[in-house]
Amino acid sequence: MPADEEGATIMVKLDDLLHDRRMTLTELAERVGLTLANLSILKTGKAKAIRFSTLAAICRELECQPGDLLSYADGSESV
Protein backbone atom coordinates (compact mmCIF):
# COMPACT_ATOMS: atom_id res chain seq x y z
CA MET A 1 0.00 0.00 0.00
CA PRO A 2 1.99 2.98 -1.16
CA ALA A 3 1.38 6.00 1.06
CA ASP A 4 2.08 9.64 0.30
CA GLU A 5 3.38 12.22 2.78
CA GLU A 6 -0.09 12.76 4.24
CA GLY A 7 -0.73 9.08 4.89
CA ALA A 8 -3.10 8.49 1.98
CA THR A 9 -2.86 5.04 0.42
CA ILE A 10 -3.82 3.27 -2.78
CA MET A 11 -4.93 -0.26 -2.03
CA VAL A 12 -4.69 -3.01 -4.64
CA LYS A 13 -7.47 -5.60 -4.48
CA LEU A 14 -5.89 -8.04 -6.93
CA ASP A 15 -6.00 -10.93 -4.47
CA ASP A 16 -9.77 -10.60 -4.04
CA LEU A 17 -10.37 -10.39 -7.80
CA LEU A 18 -8.20 -13.44 -8.47
CA HIS A 19 -10.03 -15.40 -5.78
CA ASP A 20 -13.44 -14.39 -7.11
CA ARG A 21 -12.46 -15.50 -10.62
CA ARG A 22 -10.71 -18.67 -9.46
CA MET A 23 -7.52 -17.63 -11.24
CA THR A 24 -3.97 -17.97 -10.01
CA LEU A 25 -1.40 -15.19 -10.06
CA THR A 26 0.71 -17.35 -12.38
CA GLU A 27 -2.16 -17.70 -14.86
CA LEU A 28 -2.81 -13.95 -14.84
CA ALA A 29 0.91 -13.22 -15.31
CA GLU A 30 0.98 -15.45 -18.40
CA ARG A 31 -2.18 -13.88 -19.83
CA VAL A 32 -1.01 -10.27 -19.43
CA GLY A 33 2.65 -10.87 -20.28
CA LEU A 34 4.16 -9.83 -16.96
CA THR A 35 6.65 -11.67 -14.81
CA LEU A 36 5.25 -13.37 -11.76
CA ALA A 37 7.61 -11.28 -9.61
CA ASN A 38 6.27 -7.96 -10.96
CA LEU A 39 2.66 -9.02 -10.60
CA SER A 40 3.39 -10.21 -7.06
CA ILE A 41 4.78 -6.76 -6.19
CA LEU A 42 1.53 -5.24 -7.40
CA LYS A 43 -0.59 -7.79 -5.53
CA THR A 44 1.16 -7.17 -2.22
CA GLY A 45 0.73 -3.41 -2.54
CA LYS A 46 4.46 -2.71 -2.81
CA ALA A 47 4.30 -1.25 -6.33
CA LYS A 48 5.05 2.46 -6.65
CA ALA A 49 3.37 2.80 -10.06
CA ILE A 50 1.43 0.91 -12.71
CA ARG A 51 1.37 1.54 -16.44
CA PHE A 52 -2.02 2.16 -17.99
CA SER A 53 -1.28 -0.62 -20.50
CA THR A 54 -0.69 -3.04 -17.62
CA LEU A 55 -3.83 -1.87 -15.84
CA ALA A 56 -5.83 -2.29 -19.05
CA ALA A 57 -4.46 -5.81 -19.61
CA ILE A 58 -5.30 -6.86 -16.05
CA CYS A 59 -8.80 -5.41 -16.34
CA ARG A 60 -9.29 -7.16 -19.68
CA GLU A 61 -8.30 -10.56 -18.28
CA LEU A 62 -10.21 -10.18 -15.00
CA GLU A 63 -13.20 -8.57 -16.74
CA CYS A 64 -13.22 -5.68 -14.29
CA GLN A 65 -12.88 -1.90 -14.13
CA PRO A 66 -9.84 -0.09 -12.68
CA GLY A 67 -11.95 0.91 -9.69
CA ASP A 68 -12.54 -2.78 -8.94
CA LEU A 69 -8.78 -3.26 -8.71
CA LEU A 70 -7.71 -0.07 -6.93
CA SER A 71 -9.14 1.90 -4.04
CA TYR A 72 -8.07 5.06 -2.24
CA ALA A 73 -8.07 5.83 1.45
CA ASP A 74 -6.96 9.19 2.77
CA GLY A 75 -4.98 9.58 5.96
CA SER A 76 -8.08 10.14 8.11
CA GLU A 77 -9.60 6.73 7.35
CA SER A 78 -8.53 3.53 9.02
CA VAL A 79 -7.07 1.07 6.55
Side-chain angles (χ1 to χ4, degrees):
M1 289 179 262
D4 66 13
E5 302 86 40
E6 298 157 3
T9 56
I10 299 293
M11 294 168 290
V12 180
K13 301 179 281 187
L14 183 56
D15 213 19
D16 295 337
L17 290 171
L18 287 169
H19 182 270
D20 292 346
R21 283 142 179 87
R22 294 184 171 91
M23 187 184 297
T24 65
L25 194 63
T26 301
E27 184 179 352
L28 181 62
E30 290 171 0
R31 288 182 179 201
V32 299
L34 289 175
T35 65
L36 186 57
N38 284 340
L39 206 50
S40 182
I41 289 168
L42 179 63
K43 180 183 143 197
T44 59
K46 295 179 182 173
K48 301 259 187 235
I50 184 170
R51 290 183 175 153
F52 283 141
S53 59
T54 300
L55 184 58
I58 291 170
C59 289
R60 180 190 68 232
E61 294 302 324
L62 295 179
E63 298 179 355
C64 68
Q65 294 294 314
D68 299 328
L69 182 63
L70 304 171
S71 65
Y72 170 80
D74 68 23
S76 65
E77 297 176 20
S78 61
V79 181

